[in-house]
Amino acid sequence: MNKIGFKLEKINTEQFAIIEDSYNSQNDEIGLQANVKFGISSESPAIISIIKFQFEQHKKPFLVIEVSCEFSVEEAKWVEFSKYKKVYVPKDFLAHLAMITVGTTRGVLHSKTDNSKFNDFVLPTLNVTEMIKEDGVFEK
């Protein structure tokens, strides 16, 4: 992959919830759902990576966090990505942005749960390349 100049411009906590009634600390099995999605900014040459994690017991969520990171992309690369009113972004680059977003989400989760029993829930490392199967195609 050719070098792509980019910069993290903005971090947003889109969603955060602790549902204590759905959590049982008696060693019940805990599941973790992870979702990744992408979009582009309508205002600037930027890609938005959105990661959502949901900790569950008995298929009921008890800890939910969703974070978005907006990455500006150098103008020359953006022009290269743009064809026929669409933006085509290589999956390897999307995976790289998602990896940064996962790390950012890990930090936001730690901060939001600090000094609570939920601070023990740490996001595991993920192989986001397995989650992103194809290049991104976005409408301008």
Side-chain angles (χ1 to χ4, degrees):
M1 175 173 56
N2 295 339
K3 185 177 176 191
I4 301 170
F6 71 96
K7 183 169 90 176
L8 176 58
E9 295 286 350
K10 196 184 301 183
I11 299 167
N12 289 311
T13 303
E14 304 291 345
Q15 198 179 152
F16 178 75
I18 295 174
I19 305 131
E20 291 204 43
D21 293 346
S22 297
Y23 175 65
N24 177 357
S25 61
Q26 305 304 78
N27 294 331
D28 282 353
E29 189 173 312
I30 294 171
L32 178 63
Q33 298 286 327
N35 294 304
V36 60
K37 31 184 201 183
F38 300 95
I40 60 171
S41 172
S42 59
E43 299 159 12
S44 61
I47 299 168
I48 301 160
S49 171
I50 305 161
I51 301 286
K52 180 179 179 183
F53 289 97
Q54 189 166 285
F55 289 89
E56 302 174 340
Q57 281 184 322
H58 308 288
K59 298 192 181 196
K60 289 184 177 178
F62 66 87
L63 183 56
V64 179
I65 186 164
E66 183 177 32
V67 170
S68 68
C69 290
E70 185 172 321
F71 300 90
S72 62
V73 176
E74 66 183 327
E75 190 69 37
K77 259 314 171 190
W78 192 258
V79 169
E80 190 179 310
F81 289 164
S82 301
K83 295 175 188 126
Y84 312 109
K85 297 186 180 180
K86 293 189 181 187
V87 177
Y88 297 84
V89 183
K91 67 180 179 179
D92 292 342
F93 184 57
L94 291 177
H96 184 65
L97 299 181
M99 202 166 16
I100 294 168
T101 307
V102 168
T104 302
T105 304
R106 192 175 285 116
V108 172
L109 179 64
H110 171 75
S111 178
K112 293 260 188 201
T113 60
D114 204 18
N115 298 317
S116 80
K117 64 184 174 188
F118 295 97
N119 195 245
D120 291 338
F121 295 99
V122 177
L123 297 176
T125 56
L126 286 177
N127 186 349
V128 291
T129 56
E130 290 177 358
M131 298 173 73
I132 302 164
K133 305 279 188 212
E134 53 193 42
D135 294 347
V137 180
F138 307 95
E139 296 285 333
K140 273 190 175 180

